[in-house]
Amino acid sequence: MKDNEITITETLADLEKRQLEYAIRMEDEEEYTNHSYRDEQILMQAIKDGNVKLVERLLQTPLSFPKAVERGSRKNEEYMTAIWVALAARAAIEAGIASRESFLVSDIFLKQIAGAMDVRVYLAIRKRAALTYAGLVAEHRKSGKKRMYVGECKNYIAVNIFKRISSRDVAAELNLNVIYLERIFKEEEEVTIGQYIQREKIKRAKNILKYSDRSLTEVGDYLGYSSQSHFGTVFKKETGMTPRQYRDANHVTKY
């Protein structure tokens, strides 16, 4: 056997010996038996679900970790806390949080870990990290649901654009509180539902005035306005022109 082959064999043997010693030591340590991979998975799934209350409940009994290093408990807790943050960050990304946002948050926690000198601080960082990421996922899911409601609101308006409709009609159709629907719609579209309805009605009115010979009264009635004057007022507010001025300037003559 060559010298280099002997060296490799001895190195592998030493590695196997150390792994065996480590496994035996972990089995002998009480804190190792407290750590369960299943418990860890349950916690990470709670983060993915954005279930902040469940995360809080699970953290009432802190998970323990086997020692990653042999140099005292503080260094072990430091390493394990960094791993914890990385796992939570990954869980949040898998739940739909943008990787950039998730890593920015993890950077904050990693800086806190680097500056910590006490085991209790590491435990506190773990808890804050888990709750922070669960909260991010919860907010992300809530935003997704808001966008869905706003989309359904706009679809309802498009289908019923030639009727007299209000935010209350839309909220009733979607089985939502009208104040809540108004708020999330304004957040997403930067206009109220009423303003959006009028804007969409005027878009239709412009097309009718441009491509048809219907009278101005018919156009107003067709779009559900209570009177010709009301139609004219809204139209001018949206376009800066009266309906007649718009038709005179844009009407397409049929050949």
Side-chain angles (χ1 to χ4, degrees):
M1 185 178 292
K2 297 180 181 179
D3 291 343
N4 62 334
E5 291 178 343
I6 294 174
T7 302
I8 293 173
T9 302
E10 290 177 344
T11 301
L12 291 175
D14 183 59
L15 179 59
E16 289 178 356
K17 179 182 177 182
R18 287 179 177 273
Q19 287 177 330
L20 179 60
E21 291 174 347
Y22 178 80
I24 293 172
R25 189 174 73 253
M26 290 301 100
E27 289 294 340
D28 289 339
E29 290 193 17
E30 182 180 356
E31 71 169 0
Y32 180 72
T33 62
N34 291 335
H35 177 261
S36 164
Y37 177 70
R38 176 172 170 76
D39 291 339
E40 179 186 299
Q41 290 298 98
I42 291 172
L43 177 62
M44 293 305 152
Q45 187 59 53
I47 292 174
K48 291 180 186 178
D49 294 339
N51 193 335
V52 178
K53 289 184 178 179
L54 178 57
V55 170
E56 288 179 334
R57 184 159 61 81
L58 292 172
L59 290 174
Q60 289 176 2
T61 306
L63 292 179
S64 298
F65 290 90
K67 283 186 168 57
V69 294
E70 299 179 28
R71 295 181 293 160
S73 62
R74 192 191 70 79
K75 182 57 67 174
N76 182 73
E77 294 297 333
E78 179 182 348
Y79 286 174
M80 290 300 100
T81 303
I83 292 172
W84 177 290
V85 170
L87 290 172
R90 178 58 60 185
I93 291 171
E94 291 176 1
I97 299 298
S99 58
R100 177 179 174 80
E101 181 180 5
S102 183
F103 291 144
L104 282 174
V105 173
S106 71
D107 283 346
I108 293 172
F109 284 115
L110 290 175
K111 288 177 181 177
Q112 293 178 4
I113 293 169
M117 297 298 292
D118 188 280
V119 171
R120 289 171 298 181
V121 177
Y122 294 129
L123 295 175
I125 291 173
R126 289 181 203 169
K127 183 174 182 179
R128 286 200 302 271
L131 290 172
T132 297
Y133 278 112
L136 283 175
V137 174
E139 188 58 35
H140 174 75
R141 294 196 169 191
K142 189 184 298 183
S143 296
K145 204 165 189 178
K146 286 180 183 178
R147 286 192 292 272
M148 180 189 72
Y149 287 146
V150 170
E152 290 178 351
C153 179
K154 292 167 75 173
N155 288 338
Y156 178 84
I157 291 168
V159 170
N160 296 278
I161 196 65
F162 297 112
K163 300 177 182 178
R164 294 182 186 179
I165 49 177
S166 67
S167 57
R168 290 187 180 279
D169 296 326
V170 184
E173 178 66 22
L174 301 183
N175 197 28
L176 293 173
N177 178 278
V178 65
I179 296 174
Y180 171 73
L181 182 60
E182 284 276 17
R183 178 171 60 80
I184 64 173
F185 192 93
K186 182 73 179 291
E187 288 174 357
E188 289 290 322
E189 298 295 319
E190 298 183 344
V191 293
T192 66
I193 294 175
Q195 290 169 334
Y196 180 83
I197 291 171
Q198 295 306 329
R199 189 174 71 189
E200 293 301 299
K201 282 182 176 290
I202 296 307
K203 283 182 182 178
R204 304 301 194 284
K206 288 164 69 176
N207 282 333
I208 297 171
L209 292 169
K210 186 175 182 178
Y211 296 109
S212 83
D213 293 319
R214 290 176 181 270
S215 70
L216 303 184
T217 300
E218 285 181 305
V219 176
D221 289 343
Y222 194 53
L223 286 161
Y225 285 98
S226 57
S227 66
Q228 176 61 32
S229 62
H230 182 211
F231 170 53
T233 299
V234 174
F235 191 95
K236 187 170 184 178
K237 183 179 179 180
E238 288 289 326
T239 67
M241 306 169 71
T242 66
R244 184 173 300 280
Q245 288 172 332
Y246 183 85
R247 166 167 278 171
D248 291 343
N250 297 278
H251 188 250
V252 176
T253 304
K254 294 180 181 179
Y255 291 99

